[in-house]
Amino acid sequence: MRKAQQHAIWGRRGTFILAATGSAVGLGNIWKFPYITGENGGGAFVVMYLLCICLIGLPVLVAEIMLGRRGRASPILAMQRVARESNSSKLWSLIGWSGVLAGFIILSYYSVIAGWTLEYVTTAARGGFEGFDGVAANNTFTALQGDISTLVQWQTAFLCMTALIIMFGVTRGLETAVRILMPLLFCLLVVLLGYAAYAGDFAAGFNFLFKFRFDQLSLEGLSLALGHAFFTLSLSMGAIMAYGSYMPHNQSILKTAATVGVLDTAIALLAGLVIFPIVFANPGIEPGAGPGLMFVSLPIVFGAMPLGEVFGTVFFLLVTLAAWSSTISLLEPAVAYLTERFRFHRVAANLLIIFCAWLLGLTTVFSLNRWQDLSLVAGMTPFDLSTFITEQVLLPLGALATAIYVGWFMKKRPLRRELALDSSRWFVRWLTVLKYVSPMLIAVVFVLGIVDKFAG
Ligand code: PFF
C-alpha cells in the first residue's frame, strides 16, 4: 500500500475488483438468491431481479465507488468531504451513517447463516450426508435450527475467523483468498451444474428459473428483488464506498463496476441452476422451502455422488470463505470510522464491533427456535425484522439518497474527473439513468413494498 492524502491506496490494479467481488459474492448469491427466487415463484422474480440490477444496482454501484474514491476516507467522512467540495449540506453524510448501521445489522445475522455452512462442512467431512433423501435432509436442517448451542458455537467460530484475518492484515489475506478461492468456487459450481444436469431434472429447474409467468408478479416479490439487488452487490452498506476509497486513480470505474456486476450475477444464476434441478428431482423438497433450500437440496447430491464427501466438504468450505470475504467488507466501514474519528487501534475497533455484532446475532439465533412465534411488528421475528429493516428500508433509502445526491447535487467537475477514463457517451448514459430512472424506480418500489407489508 502507498500512502496518499493520509489514506492508503491499493497498489495493485486488480485489488479493487478482487475485493469488491469478494464482498459481492457470498451467501447472497448461493444461499439467498435461490431461496427467495423459490419463494417468489421463479422466472418473474428473476426478471425483476435482473432489471433491478441493471437499472438500479449497477448505476448505484458506480456512484458508490466514485464517492468513496473522491472522498478518500471511511463512508461517513468521505460523504462529508464530497458534500463540502460541492457546497452541499453536511446532512448528506447520513448516507454514510445509514450504511454503517445497515452493515452492522447485516453482519449480525449473516454470521449466524455462515455458521450453518460451517456446521455443514463438518457434517460433509464425516460423510454425514450418505444416502440422504429429501426427508432426511429436511430433518437434519430442522434439527440444527433448534440446537441453540451448536448455532452459537458456529456463529462465534465464524466471527472469530473474521477477527483473525483482520488482525493478520486484510489486504494480503483477502487478495489471496479471492484470487484463488473465488475461481475455485466457480469451478466447483460448474462441476455441480454438470451433476445436477445429469442426476436432477434440469429442464424443470431451468424452466422454473427462466420462464416468465405474468401471474407470478407480486409487489412483495418486486420489493424483495430490489432489496436483494442492493444486498448482493453490497450496496448502501458502506462496504463499496470504503473499498472505493482505496482504489487508485488510473482505474476505470464503469468497467470495474460492470465486471463486478457480471461476476456476481453469473454466480447467483449458476447457484440457481444447480439447486433447482435437484429440488425438482427430489420429492420432499419444495422450491419455496425458505432459508433452508440450499441446506436441504445440496446434501442430497453430496450424499449420492461419487467422492461426495470431498465435494461436499470443499463446497461448504468455499461458501463459508465467500461469506467471510463479504463480512470483512462489512466491518471495514465501521472500523475505518472508529480509527479515523476516535483514533481507535484497528484491532480494538474490530473486536468491539465483532462483539456487538455477536450479541445482536443472538437475537437471530433465538428467532430460529425459542422466539419462532414472537412477533415484534407485523408478524416478524427479530431475525425477520433485521432483514426487513436492512434490505427493505435502509438499503433502498441509502441507495435513493446516493442516486439523488450524485445525480442532482454533486458538482459536475469532480464527477467527470473521477470518471475521466470512461467515454463521455457512457458517462452521459450512466448519469441519465442515475438521475431519472433509478431514483424513481427505487422510490416507487420502496413505497409499494412498505404499503404491501403493513397493509397485507
Ligand atoms: N454481497 C454479499 C452477499 O451477497 O452475500 C453480502 C454482503 C456483503 C452484504 C457485504 C453487505 C456487505 F457489505
Side-chain angles (χ1 to χ4, degrees), residues 20-32 99 102-103 106-107 110 228 230-240 264 322-323 325-331 333 395:
T21 310
S23 169
V25 174
L27 294 170
N29 306 62
I30 300 162
W31 161 71
K32 186 149 200 172
I106 290 175
L107 177 63
Y110 203 74
H228 188 64
F230 297 130
F231 184 84
T232 190
L233 292 175
S234 302
L235 296 175
S236 299
M237 306 153 189
I240 292 293
D264 186 70
S325 64
S326 299
T327 43
I328 290 172
S329 75
L330 281 181
L331 273 173
L395 306 193

Side-chain angles (χ1 to χ4, degrees), residues 39-291:
E39 280 186 332
N40 290 281
F45 179 83
V46 176
V47 170
M48 291 189 284
Y49 161 74
L50 292 175
L51 282 176
C52 288
I53 291 276
C54 295
L55 295 176
I56 303 167
L58 288 177
V60 174
L61 178 63
V62 171
E64 279 203 15
I65 303 174
M66 184 276 299
L67 287 171
R69 189 164 81 176
R70 191 76 203 154
R72 286 269 185 249
S74 74
I76 297 169
L77 292 189
M79 278 311 299
Q80 283 174 2
R81 278 189 191 165
V82 173
R84 201 175 318 126
E85 184 185 47
S86 289
N87 294 329
S88 24
S89 161
K90 252 181 112 175
L91 282 178
W92 288 108
S93 65
L94 280 176
I95 294 178
W97 280 108
S98 133
V100 169
L101 178 66
F104 173 73
I105 301 176
I106 290 175
L107 177 63
S108 76
Y109 64 81
Y110 203 74
S111 51
V112 177
I113 318 288
W116 301 352
T117 63
L118 275 174
E119 162 73 7
Y120 273 60
V121 171
T122 59
T123 313
R126 273 191 272 116
F129 300 141
E130 192 79 30
F132 257 30
D133 58 7
V135 177
N138 263 317
N139 289 343
T140 305
F141 182 71
T142 313
L144 174 64
Q145 304 305 295
D147 186 349
I148 297 178
S149 67
T150 307
L151 290 173
V152 173
Q153 168 199 326
W154 290 121
Q155 173 215 12
T156 313
F158 182 77
L159 283 174
C160 288
M161 260 172 74
T162 310
L164 216 64
I165 185 68
I166 281 163
M167 292 187 197
F168 285 118
V170 178
T171 318
R172 266 192 46 206
L174 191 74
E175 268 205 58
T176 320
V178 179
R179 210 180 277 277
I180 301 169
L181 301 174
M182 286 287 150
L184 204 60
L185 177 65
F186 187 80
C187 293
L188 197 61
L189 278 172
V190 173
V191 171
L192 291 178
L193 177 68
Y195 189 80
Y198 153 76
D201 189 345
F202 193 74
F206 190 89
N207 266 337
F208 181 76
L209 267 180
F210 296 114
K211 195 157 169 221
F212 183 85
R213 292 219 334 260
F214 202 73
D215 58 322
Q216 290 167 344
L217 285 176
S218 72
L219 272 183
E220 192 187 2
L222 185 57
S223 159
L224 285 170
L226 179 74
H228 188 64
F230 297 130
F231 184 84
T232 190
L233 292 175
S234 302
L235 296 175
S236 299
M237 306 153 189
I240 292 293
M241 231 189 255
Y243 278 175
S245 74
Y246 301 122
M247 185 187 193
H249 253 113
N250 58 0
Q251 218 173 338
S252 147
I253 294 183
L254 285 183
K255 279 190 202 138
T256 307
T259 312
V260 174
V262 168
L263 289 173
D264 186 70
T265 310
I267 299 234
L269 294 178
L270 199 54
L273 278 176
V274 170
I275 288 178
F276 286 111
I278 299 161
V279 170
F280 287 108
N282 284 284
I285 319 181
E286 294 286 323

Side-chain angles (χ1 to χ4, degrees), residues 381-448:
T381 63
F383 176 31
D384 297 333
L385 193 63
S386 293
T387 54
F388 176 77
I389 289 180
T390 47
E391 290 164 46
Q392 276 163 279
V393 180
L394 288 175
L395 306 193
L397 286 184
L400 180 64
T402 305
I404 292 179
Y405 179 71
V406 174
W408 296 90
F409 290 89
M410 193 170 166
K411 291 225 168 93
K412 292 296 156 295
R413 251 212 5 211
L415 199 57
R416 189 69 192 106
R417 192 170 291 166
E418 287 302 322
L419 289 144
L421 292 178
D422 298 294
S423 75
S424 47
R425 196 148 31 111
W426 276 105
F427 175 77
V428 172
R429 279 182 194 156
W430 163 71
L431 196 57
T432 313
V433 175
L434 189 77
K435 209 169 165 169
Y436 302 101
V437 184
S438 314
M440 240 166 51
L441 287 178
I442 302 175
V444 170
V445 176
F446 171 73
V447 172
L448 292 178

